[in-house]
Amino acid sequence: METTELYYPQIAAAADGYSFTQGIEIEIYSAQNAYCDWAKLRFTEQYRPKLRLERRAPASIRLGYNGILDEVFTGFVARRYDSGTSVNEVELKDETLLLEETRVSGAFQNATPQEIISYCLSQAGISSMRLSSKPYPARRLLPVREQSVVEAINTVNAAWGLKVPFFFSGGTFYWDEKPEQAKQYTFEYGVNIIGLHRTGGVWELETVSAPFVRHSHRINIVHPRISGEQEVRKVVFTTNDSGFIRTYIYF
């Protein structure tokens, strides 16, 4: 069994050509039942007169240890710097921003869901995608009139009577598919679990910075209250009041 040492966490963020490794706080939210990941970057006061972060500028956040950092968020500046709910804050949104702002129209004839979705994604400039391999019958006609790509995908799901998730992960769009998981991690009582309790019908596990965990991953839990393999529903990365990075895993 391979062991990962979780000491001396590191952080690196980039937005609109700027790079940050200190003087920042983060919030990142990623969930199965939400088609969009979002994040917030908060800066110390010293940055305020110097930063010019424009909307739709590329942004990313990486977390890790010992110089090895995992990308936990990729996307764009959703609102200009200092236009968020707090001073010295910028809001970020993943590639879904492109889908929300791209409009599509057309009458799709004898097309499958995958063909329609692939076309809509291409209109938004998305080329990396993994769409369900399940066979679906072609529909004789499906009109789409001046809808965002997100609305068009929901129209497709409704037309075929589907309730399947879609989201971005690592810059790739997934529709009724899940990202591949290279390793399965174990969280153990007295080792790397800071807290574990039940809230809102799900378990909330608090641990240190764990950038290698994504929603829809399978993890192992070893704890007196619950043990076994679990599927991750949501992951939240945040900086607490003491400046330490914490990961909250919901299953």
Side-chain angles (χ1 to χ4, degrees):
M1 180 179 67
E2 184 179 347
T3 300
T4 300
E5 298 291 345
L6 304 182
Y7 299 115
Y8 308 114
Q10 295 172 285
I11 183 172
D16 202 1
Y18 296 93
S19 297
F20 311 93
T21 56
Q22 57 186 358
I24 58 174
E25 296 179 351
I26 63 165
E27 282 185 61
I28 306 171
Y29 290 79
S30 179
Q32 279 183 333
N33 61 358
Y35 64 81
C36 177
D37 289 358
W38 63 270
K40 292 182 179 181
L41 283 177
R42 298 189 183 96
F43 304 92
T44 54
E45 186 69 26
Q46 68 189 45
Y47 284 114
R48 192 174 190 186
K50 302 176 183 178
L51 288 179
R52 295 291 183 271
L53 302 180
E54 296 298 326
R55 191 174 179 280
R56 291 194 65 161
S60 65
I61 302 174
R62 296 182 298 143
L63 302 174
Y65 296 87
N66 302 318
I68 302 175
L69 281 69
D70 291 275
E71 207 159 49
V72 294
F73 178 89
T74 60
F76 304 91
V77 175
R79 302 177 68 177
R80 293 181 64 184
Y81 177 53
D82 259 0
S83 64
T85 56
S86 302
V87 176
N88 300 324
E89 177 183 279
V90 63
E91 296 181 8
L92 312 176
K93 184 177 284 190
D94 72 5
E95 290 84 356
T96 306
L97 180 71
L98 303 180
L99 307 189
E100 293 174 336
E101 297 187 349
T102 301
R103 312 295 292 184
V104 292
S105 291
F108 298 93
Q109 299 180 344
N110 300 314
T112 64
Q114 292 92 328
E115 289 171 335
I116 299 173
I117 292 173
S118 178
Y119 169 81
C120 293
L121 292 174
S122 69
Q123 296 303 295
I126 305 300
S127 58
S128 181
M129 64 188 78
R130 284 191 57 189
L131 309 182
S132 175
S133 59
K134 298 175 185 174
Y136 291 104
R139 190 178 178 90
R140 186 178 65 83
L141 178 66
L142 182 68
V144 174
R145 297 184 179 89
E146 277 300 311
Q147 293 184 335
S148 70
V149 174
V150 171
E151 292 170 334
I153 294 172
N154 285 326
T155 295
V156 169
N157 282 347
W160 270 266
L162 303 174
K163 293 183 179 180
V164 297
F166 60 92
F167 54 85
F168 281 94
S169 181
T172 296
F173 178 85
Y174 292 83
W175 180 76
D176 197 22
E177 287 284 345
K178 296 179 181 179
E180 295 181 1
Q181 181 176 350
K183 297 179 181 179
Q184 189 172 52
Y185 292 92
T186 296
F187 294 88
E188 187 174 353
Y189 176 73
V191 178
N192 54 5
I193 294 179
I194 296 174
L196 179 67
H197 64 275
R198 191 83 168 166
T199 176
V202 298
W203 289 96
E204 179 190 79
L205 184 153
E206 179 184 357
T207 186
V208 294
S209 178
F212 35 77
V213 177
R214 303 284 193 276
H215 78 65
S216 302
H217 277 187
R218 310 291 297 188
I219 58 174
N220 292 314
I221 304 296
V222 181
H223 193 278
R225 298 187 67 188
I226 182 174
S227 290
E229 185 178 290
Q230 306 291 333
E231 183 177 47
V232 177
R233 296 188 185 183
K234 180 172 71 172
V235 182
V236 176
F237 302 94
T238 186
T239 310
N240 66 16
D241 293 338
S242 300
F244 297 110
I245 300 170
R246 292 290 182 259
T247 303
Y248 296 87
I249 301 172
Y250 299 82
F251 55 89

